[in-house]
């Protein structure tokens, strides 16, 4: 049994709505396509259960039900390649999911 050493990584998060802005549900196949996109691109993925998000804009409170997609990426790869791709991915998800905004954030971690 080999020991896996701790490595510097980045945990990248995307929160994607389960509904279009008009309230219609996003088809299951579109969610599967996003899962495959991350697995194919980053060799792994975690999906957290639906959560609710709220934000206020122009006096109106918006509500979304979201899935959170999280990926662990080696820090050197993230800094060299992935960080530059994030704006392109956000635009793709905004188009595909017909959203005004996509929540994306990342932070440094140490993991196997």
């Amino acid at each position: 049994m080999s020991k896996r050493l701790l490595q510097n990584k980045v945990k990248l998060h995307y929160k994607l709505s389960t509904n279009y802005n008009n309230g219609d549900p996003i088809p299951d196949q579109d969610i599967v396509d996003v899962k495959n996109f991350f697995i194919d691109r980053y060799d792994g993925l975690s999906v957290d259960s639906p959560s609710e998000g709220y934000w206020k804009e122009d006096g109106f409170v918006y509500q979304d039900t979201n899935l959170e997609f999280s990926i662990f990426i080696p820090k050197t790869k993230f800094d060299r390649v992935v960080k530059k791709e994030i704006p392109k991915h956000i635009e793709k998800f905004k188009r595909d999911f017909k959203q005004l905004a996509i929540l994306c954030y990342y932070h440094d971690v140490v993991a196997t």
Side-chain angles (χ1 to χ4, degrees):
M1 178 189 257
S2 67
K3 291 184 180 181
R4 298 189 82 174
L5 299 176
L6 293 177
Q7 301 172 14
N8 291 323
K9 294 190 177 187
V10 172
K11 187 174 183 185
L12 175 61
H13 304 261
Y14 284 91
K15 283 202 173 203
L16 301 176
S17 180
T18 59
N19 295 301
Y20 295 118
N21 280 338
N22 69 4
D24 290 342
I26 292 174
D28 290 343
Q29 185 58 53
D30 289 355
I31 302 295
V32 170
D33 291 347
V34 170
K35 289 177 185 177
N36 290 334
F37 171 83
F38 286 125
I39 292 168
D40 291 346
R41 188 167 230 86
Y42 303 116
D43 300 326
L45 171 68
S46 294
V47 181
D48 290 334
S49 300
S51 63
E52 290 184 8
Y54 299 88
W55 72 98
K56 192 173 185 178
E57 190 172 311
D58 296 327
F60 185 79
V61 177
Y62 294 87
Q63 185 272 330
D64 264 339
T65 300
N66 303 291
L67 293 173
E68 184 166 357
F69 298 83
S70 304
I71 310 105
F72 287 94
I73 303 165
K75 181 144 178 62
T76 53
K77 179 179 179 181
F78 181 85
D79 290 340
R80 229 179 34 253
V81 178
V82 177
K83 192 173 184 179
K84 291 182 270 190
E85 295 177 339
I86 290 173
K88 180 176 68 174
H89 296 161
I90 289 172
E91 288 305 313
K92 174 188 177 2
F93 296 141
K94 282 170 61 176
R95 271 192 321 274
D96 293 351
F97 285 71
K98 300 176 184 148
Q99 300 295 308
L100 299 174
I102 299 292
L103 177 60
C104 174
Y105 61 98
Y106 54 88
H107 52 92
D108 291 340
V109 295
V110 177
T112 56

